[in-house]
Amino acid sequence: MDPNYLEFEQPIAELEVKINELRLVGSDNELNISEEIQKLQEKNTKLTEKIYSGLSPWQIAQVARHPLRPYTLDYIQHIFTDFDELHGDRLYADDLALIGGVARLDDKPVMVIGHQKGRGTKEKVRHNFGMPRPEGYRKARRLVQLAERFRLPVLTFIDTPGAYPGMDSEERGINEAIAENMALMSRIKTPLIATVTGEANSGGAIAIGVSDYLNMLQYSTYTVITPEGCATILWKSAEYAAQAAEAMGVTSKRLQELGIVDETIPEPLGGAHRDVATAAENIKATLIKQIDRLEQLELDELVTRRYQRLMSYGIHS
Amino acid sequence: MSWINKILPSISTSSIGGKSKSSVPEGLWKKCPRCDQTLYRGDLERNLDVCPKCDHHLRITARRRIELFLDKEPQEELFVDIEPVDILKFKDLKKYKDRLNAAQKSTGEKDALIVFRGAVEGTELVTVAFEFGFIGGSMGAVVGEKFTQAVNVCIENRLPLVCFSTSGGARMQEALVSLMQMAKTAAALERLREQRLPFISVLVDPVYGGVSASLAMLGDINIAEPNALVGFTGPDVIRQTVRVKLPEGFQRSEFLLEHGAIDMIVHRKKLRNRIVALVRKLLHERYTAAEPDTVAGTEPGSPDSGEEAAGSGVNAESGTAIEETAPEAVTDTGADETAEELSGKEKTSSEVNPGADSEDLDGEDDDPARQ
């Protein structure tokens, strides 16, 4: 099994192997097999389209955590220019699970904040697998305040298994760090746009998720608890993760129906990792459009609108 | 998985904790879940459901909480008509709808939060209390909406807000809608702050997950009852993640005080007094020391909060009679139900945080915060 392909993608992987073998043969001799290759490629595209058009919520959750999935720093590289990373919460430490800094979106200066998971063991450990400690959220808070002071729109990128569930997190008040971020972001006088790029789980996600627009990439998930966690508690076994994902409605499609998500940003065929540039281009276009809209509002209007959005969350009789 | 305990479930079907239930005759007697002492219900109630022997603060219903906290007059319950809706048609091993029905039946509440407008020692305020017996006191759309409305009442009438939270966290069966309640309640509280109205957050055993990471930690003043378990992630999940033995008293009130998460630990007997003393200072209102009808043994505004708090688990005046705040008005039926619910709730807790109950605080340890 090819580890760079998910289980349900294995037929695609097999076809890719075939195509590559043919290519090798093709470069060896003059036989005209380019036609054959092209045929296989078309077949592969159709197969990918077929598989991806019928993904279950649980399969989407897996794509959201794909080992090759682009992370915040990948998107920063593609979407922004002139990025200066800013470090530290000024209180205790710098947490690399949540990164941020000032950059330009085309010419416009903006503040970018996002989870960073890291690729490869060493980098993953350095970024703590995208699970921030309180310092991460307090750094984000500092950057949001800085953005307000200098009238920079804040663009957040959400992709986290959750806030770090360790002793040190508790000792330094992870709950307070999350709570205060939401409180602050609910009233900050600058546009806030949140984009879920991978998996957005629980308080660790919403701590940078209060926003004027909430976007989700097509194959990302946003949920109150991981499907495995939900399954362990309610079904008594993590093996029911697929059922839990289905029941919780973790996909952008479902969440858009519920009125929580504003926009689903399309991904290239086979997921963002197949073509990071295109995925980034799609995100960028959405962000530019939304900033334009938000900047037409007076700041008080902006905050009132955000408050009303927050108050509208909830369905009861 | 790491976040499992952030959202504590309602499941109370396991047999853990059944032992203490069966060994105590129902109704008249109750066994203290901490020291195992068999207690006469009447004594326990007069003692505000605090064990007269070991000073353990037993879990109580939201209504009992309000009854202990508010003056008898005036009292008005607000937003009684807001009821939960199963918008997702959520179903796990049970239907959410059935869980709701069962919880409504067993607790008599429509959801996990009740809101009252009333007064304490004559100081008018709005108070909300979580019902832990209702799906683990979990926060869904109704809790978020009622809490927010309570804040609005405070703003409209220039009243302080006092919240007693005891909750497992966000309600999974409402999925992302429940997560959004964290942001919603935080935003509402931010408005209260802008209006310079006090929010006193009282943390009552246990508070975890999405409730602890939103409204419960946003108090202008955060107070915990002695020995309450409060954290974001449950101890079990942390143990699994870091694979070390958690220190004694981890996530207990004393731990929170030491780590700067709360302002004080206050014994249940002194809550009324202390909260009123605080609120009146913040509102620039006069407060004359302990009025005759207040709880015994309190020096309002005494500066020794940490000290008093820390010691309370060990040497509180457990025998002190407190007639006024332990009114005989408790109805018989209410008392009986309470007994059952309590054992049910203790059960839920030990299931949710197995082992946690054994990690009692040794209140007399060297404590830098108290020196």
Side-chain angles (χ1 to χ4, degrees):
Chain A
M1 182 172 151
D2 188 332
N4 285 333
Y5 287 84
L6 301 167
E7 208 180 328
F8 60 83
E9 291 181 313
Q10 289 305 316
I12 303 172
E14 283 161 23
L15 214 50
E16 293 272 354
V17 169
K18 258 188 215 165
I19 294 170
N20 283 336
E21 277 169 0
L22 270 183
R23 279 207 182 109
L24 283 178
V25 174
S27 61
D28 274 358
N29 56 49
E30 296 298 312
L31 281 176
N32 189 5
I33 52 169
S34 61
E35 210 173 290
E36 183 65 16
I37 291 178
Q38 204 185 337
K39 256 193 207 159
L40 279 176
Q41 271 170 336
E42 276 164 24
K43 193 178 162 195
N44 196 2
T45 305
K46 282 212 175 103
L47 182 66
T48 310
E49 272 168 6
K50 184 166 172 256
I51 290 176
Y52 268 75
S53 63
L55 292 185
S56 70
W58 176 233
Q59 285 171 327
I60 288 175
Q62 288 169 278
V63 179
R65 300 171 184 168
H66 197 289
L68 299 176
R69 186 102 183 143
Y71 300 137
T72 297
L73 283 172
D74 301 313
Y75 287 123
I76 286 177
Q77 206 187 344
H78 281 89
I79 297 172
F80 306 98
T81 54
D82 196 12
F83 174 62
D84 283 308
E85 187 172 352
L86 304 175
H87 292 272
D89 65 350
R90 300 291 186 274
L91 299 165
Y92 183 80
D94 184 37
D95 184 349
L96 294 177
L98 195 53
I99 55 122
V102 283
R104 285 183 191 272
L105 180 62
D106 288 341
D107 277 337
K108 177 182 281 300
V110 294
M111 180 66 77
V112 186
I113 298 169
H115 300 96
Q116 179 66 22
K117 283 182 166 174
R119 219 175 294 285
T121 310
K122 218 172 145 188
E123 216 187 289
K124 278 185 174 137
V125 171
R126 214 162 86 86
H127 291 284
N128 200 32
F129 302 84
M131 296 186 287
R133 292 181 167 83
E135 299 76 70
Y137 294 110
R138 288 178 185 138
K139 171 167 68 179
R141 192 187 309 171
R142 183 173 77 82
L143 297 187
V144 167
Q145 283 167 331
L146 196 153
E148 183 188 42
R149 202 149 55 235
F150 296 100
R151 303 189 178 273
L152 308 175
V154 177
L155 310 172
T156 67
F157 292 83
I158 305 177
D159 182 17
T160 180
Y164 182 59
M167 256 167 62
D168 50 349
S169 269
E170 299 291 321
E171 283 166 350
R172 299 196 291 275
I174 187 75
N175 43 11
E176 187 267 359
I178 293 171
E180 287 291 353
N181 272 22
M182 294 184 299
L184 173 76
M185 291 171 82
S186 74
R187 66 158 168 80
I188 206 85
K189 287 186 175 173
T190 195
L192 294 174
I193 301 173
T195 304
V196 179
T197 56
E199 54 173 334
N201 291 312
S202 186
I206 199 169
I208 59 164
V210 173
S211 56
D212 301 305
Y213 281 116
L214 175 59
N215 307 311
M216 285 179 74
L217 278 184
Q218 189 177 0
Y219 305 120
S220 67
T221 57
Y222 197 178
T223 177
V224 65
I225 181 172
T226 57
E228 293 93 329
C230 179
T232 305
I233 296 170
L234 293 181
W235 278 265
K236 320 285 186 203
S237 161
E239 281 170 24
Y240 291 87
Q243 282 89 332
E246 182 82 45
M248 288 194 294
V250 300
T251 62
S252 73
K253 184 171 178 285
R254 188 79 181 89
L255 295 170
Q256 215 169 332
E257 284 165 11
L258 286 174
I260 295 175
V261 166
D262 297 291
E263 196 155 327
T264 301
I265 300 174
E267 293 188 33
L269 182 62
H273 59 285
R274 298 289 195 95
D275 183 355
V276 184
T278 301
E281 202 51 51
N282 294 346
I283 297 175
K284 185 177 175 178
T286 305
L287 294 177
I288 289 173
K289 177 183 72 185
Q290 291 174 339
I291 290 177
D292 274 356
R293 279 190 210 150
L294 293 173
E295 287 192 335
Q296 285 168 25
L297 301 172
E298 297 291 325
L299 289 178
D300 287 338
E301 230 179 316
L302 180 77
V303 174
T304 304
R305 179 185 173 277
R306 190 184 309 145
Y307 188 76
Q308 284 162 352
R309 261 167 77 79
L310 287 165
M311 292 307 116
S312 75
Y313 294 143
I315 301 111
H316 51 80
S317 66
Chain B
M1 296 309 298
S2 43
W3 21 89
I4 292 169
N5 275 23
K6 288 175 200 168
I7 299 98
L8 295 180
S10 53
I11 321 140
S12 53
T13 46
S14 123
S15 59
I16 305 169
K19 186 181 60 169
S20 61
K21 191 177 176 184
S22 57
S23 55
V24 181
E26 292 199 6
L28 275 180
W29 301 91
K30 167 145 184 75
K31 202 171 186 177
C32 171
R34 189 194 198 179
C35 74
D36 272 358
Q37 174 80 10
T38 304
L39 305 165
Y40 178 55
R41 278 219 69 86
D43 291 343
L44 192 57
E45 266 164 34
R46 263 187 296 281
N47 207 33
L48 315 194
D49 291 293
V50 174
C51 174
K53 185 159 176 258
C54 73
D55 216 37
H56 178 63
H57 285 51
L58 280 82
R59 290 180 183 171
I60 56 177
T61 64
R63 274 188 201 270
R64 172 81 169 137
R65 172 65 65 181
I66 299 284
E67 174 193 278
L68 293 181
F69 182 60
L70 287 182
D71 297 344
K72 281 178 194 163
E73 293 282 332
Q75 273 191 22
E76 184 194 356
E77 184 170 3
L78 305 175
F79 315 118
V80 285
D81 294 332
I82 302 182
E83 287 189 52
V85 175
D86 176 18
I87 186 77
L88 293 173
K89 308 267 176 262
F90 193 97
K91 183 172 177 285
D92 46 84
L93 296 178
K94 281 185 195 168
K95 283 183 186 163
Y96 177 41
K97 219 176 137 199
D98 294 342
R99 284 190 198 273
L100 283 174
N101 285 337
Q104 285 172 341
K105 230 179 192 168
S106 71
T107 62
E109 306 297 350
K110 284 178 179 157
D111 208 299
L113 190 82
I114 56 175
V115 181
F116 276 76
R117 182 174 174 168
V120 178
E121 294 183 18
T123 293
E124 241 198 297
L125 46 76
V126 174
T127 183
V128 303
F130 279 78
E131 174 54 65
F132 192 73
F134 197 102
I135 318 193
S138 55
M139 177 161 69
V142 172
V143 171
E145 179 67 18
K146 284 177 91 168
F147 187 90
T148 304
Q149 297 281 2
V151 170
N152 291 343
V153 172
C154 289
I155 292 174
E156 280 156 31
N157 300 281
R158 306 288 311 160
L159 297 174
L161 178 64
V162 179
C163 171
F164 295 91
S165 45
T166 169
S167 168
R171 189 173 297 167
M172 272 178 293
Q173 292 88 345
E174 294 188 21
L176 203 66
V177 173
S178 73
L179 191 73
M180 291 300 149
Q181 304 312 308
M182 293 171 66
K184 180 172 174 172
T185 55
L189 285 171
E190 196 63 22
R191 293 250 156 149
L192 197 69
R193 284 178 175 175
E194 282 166 14
Q195 296 290 320
R196 299 176 200 284
L197 292 166
F199 172 48
I200 312 290
S201 175
V202 186
L203 305 163
V204 179
D205 183 61
V207 190
Y208 275 95
V211 171
S212 109
S214 63
L215 60 99
M217 271 296 148
L218 290 173
D220 293 299
I221 293 162
N222 292 335
I223 300 174
E225 281 196 338
N227 212 38
L229 270 172
V230 180
F232 184 53
T233 311
D236 258 12
V237 173
I238 297 174
R239 252 190 297 265
Q240 284 161 25
T241 313
V242 296
R243 299 184 194 284
V244 294
K245 195 172 175 291
L246 297 177
E248 191 94 335
F250 182 66
Q251 293 184 329
R252 295 277 178 190
S253 304
E254 184 73 6
F255 171 96
L256 300 180
L257 186 68
E258 269 173 30
H259 287 89
I262 57 173
D263 295 282
M264 59 187 79
I265 304 173
V266 178
H267 193 281
R268 193 171 288 169
K269 289 174 188 174
K270 299 183 178 179
L271 270 176
R272 268 169 60 91
N273 254 200
R274 181 52 64 87
I275 288 171
V276 165
L278 287 165
V279 162
R280 290 195 190 169
K281 278 192 281 283
L282 299 181
L283 290 177
H284 294 260
E285 283 173 13
R286 285 192 55 198
Y287 182 61
T288 37
E291 291 160 26
D293 69 340
T294 57
V295 181
T298 308
E299 301 274 309
S302 70
D304 62 340
S305 52
E307 175 80 32
E308 156 205 77
S312 64
V314 182
N315 52 10
E317 329 97 300
S318 34
T320 317
I322 3 151
E323 286 86 359
E324 274 73 22
T325 41
E328 260 74 64
V330 187
T331 61
D332 290 342
T333 49
D336 288 346
E337 277 169 21
T338 307
E340 276 185 25
E341 278 159 17
L342 276 171
S343 39
K345 273 178 245 163
E346 299 293 351
K347 183 168 58 185
T348 312
S349 147
S350 53
E351 185 183 10
V352 151
N353 302 308
D357 284 352
S358 61
E359 298 169 352
D360 285 332
L361 266 187
D362 181 357
E364 294 295 70
D365 272 354
D366 292 341
D367 179 1
R370 281 189 282 134
Q371 283 162 14

